[in-house]
Amino acid sequence: MTLTGSRGAESTGADIIVVGAGLAGLTAARTLQRAGKTVRVLESSQHLGGRVWSKQVDSYTLDVGFIGMFTAYPAARRQFDYDALDLVRLKPSAVLRQEGGRAELVGDPLRDPAALPGDLSAAALTVKDRVVAAKLAAELLARPAHELLNGPDQTTRAYLLEQGFSERSLERFFTPFFGGLVLDRQLETSAGLFRYYFRMLLTGDVSIPRAGMSELPRQLAQELDVTLGVTVTDIHSGPDGVSVQTEAGDTLHAAQVIVATDPNTAARLVGEQPGAPRPIARGSLGSTYLHYAAPEPLERQRRLQLGALPTGQLNQVFWLQEEFPNRVPVGHGLLIVSVWGVPEVDDATLSAQVLDELRPWYGGGVEQLRLLSVDRIPHTQFPQPAGYAATLPGHTTPLPNVFLASEANSLSGIQGALEGGEKAAAAILGDLEVLSRPRGA
Ligand SMILES: Cc1cc2nc3c(=O)[nH]c(=O)nc-3n(C[C@H](O)[C@H](O)[C@H](O)COP(=O)(O)OP(=O)(O)OC[C@H]3O[C@@H](n4cnc5c(N)ncnc54)[C@H](O)[C@@H]3O)c2cc1C
């Protein structure tokens, strides 16, 4: 990989310029380069990976926000060498934190038998809920994942009630479990997406590369020409190709350009007009992540913990410890806490609120937690309400020879970004087989 951080020249010598070095842009660039094209990637920030990156604070490596990646994502299986990523797999179960910090273990009893006794006593699910869940799991496993994602849609809330789940399970289990994933506490998100993610969890694991999430973009970017610190401000398309203007005042030319920024920036760069029937602009759902160092972990389980209180601020909580020796000093613990939304309070106030919520979980142990970082991420994902899929844009844009590689082409997440990159490259290469692959496959 060539990584440069300087001003670009007048002409790039590249066939294709890719704007944005997130997972979508890197996937598109690698696919095209492997097909023999000369590709140059321009990235505004000083790091690879866009929303998937890790930073160093003291002797800790923090994933800026991330908890993990689903190993069952079909596009991740195609794009990543899992062995080289050295994935640490989380247990296929989770701890729901109810009133007073009470922990209820729920999970897949076949794949995490240790969770079974806890699971059977978890009050978030009634006996009927468990029967309905087992039946639903069997049904979802019988069909290919992408079929579950596509087709007629309704809200997840309506779908779950229709299946026969109790209101209590919606509030105390499905909201923290699925709502937490898609940043939607009302469960208004597409039921297709719920079915898809549920199946991902039934057939794979949530995993984290041992060295941190930035291993994902690093693997994609090997051998690519990526220039960091270049912000593209304008794109013009004409009979001689496409020109790209940068904030530093350079103009770069290429035959084709792929825009692989977040959807809202992409819409602006390609000059999308308000009211477009299949808009690239998708809006934003934000989240906030706090990292704490601890002299020793206050919890020793490789399970995700979910804040189940409807009025609580905590979404997902996870401890990183000895499985991540390069990220956490020996014997110490690194606590990742995600908070719903982007609260408008200063860091100290937010951290005090988080510690107050953690106190019933860990008692006086919270006094040992030292705040390392607060990251507010206004665009974590875009909203995906029932029926959203019918409005998704394709890979062409209002500008000739300018293509879109984005999660906005499919679904908001790693699968969507990788798929967006694969198909934008396929659109340029005329690869009809990849282009006709169903969304989510
Ligand atoms: C905190 C957090 C948690 C998440 N959790 C999960 C999860 O558990 N599972 C999951 O599947 N997904 C998750 N996601 C979503 C997932 O990270 C994204 O869907 C995916 O990474 C999007 O990749 P992308 O390449 O499409 O966009 P981005 O990652 O946004 O990349 C776009 C790139 O374009 C660059 N750029 C923007 N404007 C310009 C410009 N004008 N000029 C040049 N470069 C520009 C940006 O700097 C960025 O590097 C999470 C996201 C966040 C933030």
Side-chain angles (χ1 to χ4, degrees):
M1 173 177 57
T2 316
L3 267 182
T4 32
S6 60
R7 289 166 60 114
E10 271 287 302
S11 179
T12 66
D15 302 325
I16 298 154
I17 292 175
V18 175
V19 183
L23 299 184
L26 294 173
T27 304
R30 187 172 74 166
T31 308
L32 289 162
Q33 186 157 299
R34 286 182 173 174
K37 302 282 184 190
T38 315
V39 185
R40 181 162 180 205
V41 184
L42 305 177
E43 165 57 46
S44 61
S45 74
Q46 294 297 339
H47 66 84
L48 284 174
R51 275 167 271 165
V52 182
W53 68 295
S54 317
K55 68 178 180 183
Q56 201 70 28
V57 177
D58 296 350
S59 27
Y60 295 85
T61 307
L62 317 183
D63 289 337
V64 182
F66 245 87
I67 305 286
M69 176 186 76
F70 292 111
T71 55
Y73 278 147
R77 287 171 181 262
R78 286 191 294 274
Q79 293 298 333
F80 295 120
D81 174 347
Y82 283 0
D83 288 341
L85 287 175
D86 192 10
L87 296 176
V88 176
R89 290 165 190 259
L90 275 53
K91 297 262 188 205
S93 47
V95 179
L96 297 170
R97 288 288 189 164
Q98 308 284 4
E99 280 87 358
R102 186 168 47 82
E104 290 186 349
L105 194 53
V106 284
D108 183 339
L110 298 176
R111 296 167 62 221
D112 185 4
L116 185 60
D119 186 276
L120 289 176
S121 60
L125 296 168
T126 63
V127 173
K128 184 182 171 209
D129 288 327
R130 288 165 209 283
V131 174
V132 176
K135 193 168 147 277
L136 180 61
E139 273 174 31
L140 299 184
L141 282 170
R143 292 169 58 197
H146 67 267
E147 273 187 29
L148 306 170
L149 183 63
N150 297 312
D153 208 0
Q154 63 190 129
T155 67
T156 295
R157 160 168 287 279
Y159 175 73
L160 292 172
L161 291 174
E162 203 175 273
Q163 296 296 307
F165 286 108
S166 66
E167 279 284 359
R168 182 176 174 82
S169 74
L170 263 63
E171 180 181 301
R172 293 307 174 102
F173 172 68
F174 287 106
T175 301
F177 156 68
F178 179 64
L181 196 72
V182 293
L183 306 178
D184 164 24
R185 277 182 132 165
Q186 311 307 319
L187 296 179
E188 308 242 299
T189 296
S190 151
L193 206 57
F194 166 78
R195 290 189 292 266
Y196 187 75
Y197 277 125
F198 194 11
R199 192 159 182 310
M200 291 296 120
L201 284 168
L202 291 168
T203 52
D205 298 301
V206 177
S207 66
I208 312 174
R210 204 174 300 276
M213 289 300 282
S214 59
E215 291 301 301
L216 265 53
R218 200 196 311 275
Q219 194 177 88
L220 293 174
Q222 282 165 10
E223 296 158 33
L224 290 179
D225 174 2
V226 182
T227 310
L228 300 177
V230 177
T231 300
V232 170
T233 50
D234 276 301
I235 303 176
H236 296 284
S237 192
D240 300 332
V242 189
S243 63
V244 160
Q245 262 152 29
T246 73
E247 201 171 51
D250 296 321
T251 304
L252 309 176
H253 301 283
Q256 285 148 325
V257 165
I258 291 183
V259 179
T261 66
D262 64 275
N264 305 322
T265 305
R268 188 174 47 73
L269 284 175
V270 302
E272 179 173 272
Q273 296 302 310
R278 288 175 168 268
I280 298 170
R282 293 271 125 195
S284 296
L285 294 172
S287 58
T288 303
Y289 287 74
L290 295 92
H291 282 87
Y292 294 92
E296 59 180 336
L298 301 177
E299 187 113 41
R300 292 210 173 267
Q301 53 182 326
R302 217 194 299 150
R303 294 189 179 93
L304 201 55
Q305 312 219 24
L306 307 173
L309 297 183
T311 52
Q313 280 204 87
L314 303 188
N315 182 0
Q316 300 171 329
V317 173
F318 189 68
W319 278 96
L320 253 60
Q321 38 201 297
E322 61 264 12
E323 296 95 341
F324 301 90
N326 299 331
R327 301 184 55 190
V328 184
V330 179
H332 291 232
L334 174 62
L335 179 65
I336 312 169
V337 178
S338 78
V339 163
W340 291 93
V342 184
E344 288 177 5
V345 293
D346 60 48
D347 290 359
T349 308
L350 180 61
S351 177
Q353 291 169 351
V354 164
L355 294 179
D356 276 349
E357 264 194 67
L358 287 174
R359 206 160 273 115
W361 305 22
Y362 299 128
V366 295
E367 310 312 332
Q368 301 174 34
L369 299 176
R370 178 168 63 89
L371 182 65
L372 291 173
S373 170
V374 177
D375 292 287
R376 292 175 163 81
I377 307 171
H379 183 88
T380 302
Q381 296 175 39
F382 60 80
Q384 299 166 97
Y388 85 105
T391 71
L392 291 174
H395 296 278
T396 54
T397 74
L399 300 176
N401 292 316
V402 177
F403 296 82
L404 177 70
S406 173
E407 56 176 1
N409 296 127
S410 177
L411 58 93
S412 194
I414 293 176
Q415 165 71 26
L418 298 174
E419 218 185 304
E422 289 175 335
K423 288 194 181 165
I428 287 181
L429 297 170
D431 183 343
L432 298 180
E433 197 180 318
V434 170
L435 272 177
S436 61
R437 194 183 280 148
R439 192 171 72 95

